[in-house]
Amino acid sequence: MEAAGSDLENVTLIFDRGFDGKDNFEMAWQSPLNIVAAVKRNRRTVREVLDSLELEEFQKSYETSYGECYVYDGGRVDIGERSWRIVVSYHDSTREKVREKMDEQKQEAEEVLKESLNRLERGGPGRPPTKNSVRKKLEKVLGKRYHC
């Protein structure tokens, strides 16, 4: 880019999650370029920020013909040897899909708990539900969203 005559201080490079690696982040840190990089959700420090978020904490950023976009400044997290600013962004149609999925999972989890309680109360033949068996059913219903 320098060879093409670009002023590197006015350039922002944007990377997808394939960029997410310690060496790449170290290279980006040393670069004079502005860097925007997507990171994998399961990166521990990023996951901690994501787990602490509530959708209501996001601020409306802008609106497109497809709907509204929201952002949240998640502060700074350590990635590799450096501290990076984390900004989370989503589109309102994504928000609605996530909300619908969470509501479905909540209903299914409530059914599992209700069924287990009913089984405990009525007794009868067979083994009663245990804490572990109920936990396994809930893990199946809630899955990765709740990191079970």
Side-chain angles (χ1 to χ4, degrees), residues 50-137:
L50 294 177
D51 285 348
S52 69
L53 296 180
E54 295 292 331
L55 289 177
E56 290 72 24
E57 295 179 71
F58 283 74
Q59 301 289 319
K60 181 178 173 183
S61 175
Y62 61 91
E63 193 166 345
T64 69
S65 59
Y66 297 106
E68 298 172 341
C69 182
Y70 295 84
V71 296
Y72 175 81
D73 187 342
R76 300 189 76 77
V77 300
D78 293 332
I79 299 177
E81 304 297 317
R82 311 287 182 198
S83 178
W84 296 81
R85 181 175 176 204
I86 296 293
V87 177
V88 182
S89 175
Y90 74 90
H91 195 271
D92 62 346
S93 63
T94 302
R95 174 186 176 133
E96 292 309 311
K97 289 176 190 174
V98 169
R99 177 85 63 199
E100 287 171 15
K101 182 67 175 169
M102 289 173 76
D103 289 344
E104 286 174 24
Q105 288 176 317
K106 179 182 175 187
Q107 258 185 316
E108 289 179 48
E110 287 173 351
E111 288 172 20
V112 166
L113 292 173
K114 186 176 177 181
E115 176 186 312
S116 298
L117 285 173
N118 287 341
R119 175 74 176 90
L120 279 172
E121 288 173 357
R122 77 172 178 266
R127 189 172 168 191
T130 63
K131 180 180 177 180
N132 194 43
S133 67
V134 173
R135 183 180 57 77
K136 284 183 179 181
K137 287 180 183 178

